[in-house]
Amino acid sequence: MPVSSIRRSYKALVENPQHRAALVHHLQGQYATADFVTIKAMADELELRLMRAIDPQRSRVRTESVQDQADSRHIRLTPAQGAALMMRPDLSRLRGRRDVAIIVLLLATGLREGEVVQLEIDDLYQSCGGVPALRVKAGKGAKARMVPFGDMLWARQITELWLNGRESGPVFTRMRQGRGDMLHQEAADSPMTTRSVQRMLGRYPISIDGQQRAVTPHDLRRSYARNLFKAGISTDVIRQNLGHVDVKTTQAHIGVLDGSDRVPISVYEPTEILARMQAAMS
């Protein structure tokens, strides 16, 4: 919470008559033998000290902003790491085929886990500006949007293999008879929950910087934003695909680019000065 908001809250508290009455009542209980004039003076002193403490001119607070944060704070998968995650589920099992379909759809569309579990099969077959798109009927804030597949239409093809001819109902359903560990498993008709998607990803850790780490659905959403940005897609297009209102939220998902992405190109011609420097040193 910003310091200014905290100060406003304390100021409103001090100026509230009910707070004043409660403070006087408390002091009367603590100092039963004191007269009312003394109690009033003590209450005035306490309120004065508090007002001075929250006065921005008297109590300055130094705040620091952080531009560069460690990669460990949020995981954003590279394309190679995303491909490694797709390869983790066991495709000989029904659950594995379902899980890989969820993974590729999250990576290829940037959906929230709450949006992916609400997908109906016909949502996969929409168009936006004449190109194949996925429909989110009710995203965050009850906003509907379309997410074009573009060159990642293969995500829908993989999802179709999981569906295996099913033409209606929720795209991603639970497994019958437990967690789907059996070789011959059947899918239920009821949709998955957001918690089950989170648990699913937890079963497939991948190597990141030499450590086995599990990712979250929101990590894949951030990965979508970062990888599209690095591929040259504009921030505003990514914002619309993610369903953000404020571009600052999209920029936070993209994150601060690391050193290898921020290496500047040379805008100067150093040949002559290098030659002169070398000649002077010889």
Side-chain angles (χ1 to χ4, degrees):
M1 180 182 292
V3 174
S4 58
S5 298
I6 297 173
R7 282 175 166 151
R8 282 195 300 271
S9 298
Y10 274 108
K11 185 178 180 182
L13 181 65
V14 173
E15 294 176 347
N16 189 325
Q18 293 180 344
H19 165 264
R20 173 71 178 191
L23 178 59
V24 169
H25 180 74
H26 172 74
L27 291 173
Q28 287 175 329
Q30 293 292 310
Y31 304 95
T33 60
D35 57 28
F36 183 76
V37 174
T38 303
I39 294 295
K40 181 180 180 301
M42 294 170 67
D44 289 343
E45 177 65 19
L46 287 172
E47 288 184 342
L48 178 61
R49 290 184 182 183
L50 181 55
M51 290 300 290
R52 285 178 174 174
I54 62 177
D55 184 352
Q57 298 302 317
R58 293 175 177 268
S59 302
R60 296 183 179 274
V61 177
R62 180 181 177 183
T63 60
E64 295 182 356
S65 60
V66 179
Q67 174 179 316
D68 298 317
Q69 296 177 340
D71 292 339
S72 58
R73 176 161 182 166
H74 296 306
I75 296 176
R76 294 175 178 86
L77 300 183
T78 64
Q81 290 168 337
L85 180 61
M86 296 178 202
M87 297 298 291
R88 291 285 287 116
D90 181 357
L91 300 185
S92 69
R93 299 172 185 266
L94 184 64
R95 185 181 72 174
R97 295 193 289 275
R98 181 202 65 184
D99 293 354
V100 78
I102 297 173
I103 290 169
V104 299
L105 209 58
L106 289 172
L107 284 169
T109 63
L111 263 60
R112 303 175 178 92
E113 64 262 47
E115 296 168 345
V116 79
V117 298
Q118 294 179 26
L119 284 176
E120 299 284 325
I121 291 176
D122 66 333
D123 293 329
L124 299 172
Y125 299 97
Q126 304 299 314
S127 63
C128 181
V131 300
L134 179 150
R135 177 177 60 197
V136 178
K137 292 177 182 174
K140 192 173 183 179
K143 296 189 298 291
R145 72 180 188 280
M146 304 291 281
V147 183
F149 283 106
D151 290 339
M152 292 189 282
L153 189 59
W154 48 265
R156 189 175 75 181
Q157 295 172 327
I158 291 175
T159 306
E160 289 171 338
L161 293 173
W162 142 251
L163 292 171
N164 195 28
R166 192 156 52 86
E167 297 180 351
S168 62
V171 176
F172 298 111
T173 57
R174 303 179 186 185
M175 296 285 110
R176 295 189 189 277
Q177 300 175 6
R179 298 175 59 185
D181 296 319
M182 296 184 298
L183 187 59
H184 301 292
Q185 187 75 44
E186 292 182 356
D189 297 327
S190 55
M192 296 176 68
T193 65
T194 56
R195 184 71 186 106
S196 59
V197 173
Q198 295 163 5
R199 285 197 301 265
M200 177 274 291
L201 284 174
R203 292 196 292 267
Y204 304 117
I206 60 170
S207 177
I208 299 176
D209 296 331
Q211 295 183 338
Q212 290 293 311
R213 300 189 61 182
V215 298
T216 68
H218 219 82
D219 289 332
L220 303 192
R221 185 167 162 85
R222 294 187 189 96
S223 302
Y224 173 86
R226 168 72 68 87
N227 290 327
L228 258 63
F229 182 80
K230 291 176 70 173
I233 305 299
S234 74
T235 304
D236 194 56
V237 169
I238 300 171
R239 177 189 66 79
Q240 293 181 57
N241 287 356
L242 292 176
H244 290 155
V245 175
D246 192 340
V247 72
K248 292 181 180 179
T249 307
T250 308
Q251 291 169 340
H253 277 60
I254 294 170
V256 178
L257 301 178
D258 60 29
S260 63
D261 296 309
R262 291 155 56 186
V263 175
I265 62 172
S266 178
V267 295
Y268 307 103
E269 174 49 59
T271 305
E272 184 176 353
I273 188 61
L274 276 173
R276 291 179 61 188
M277 188 69 171
Q278 289 166 348
M281 298 294 293
S282 62

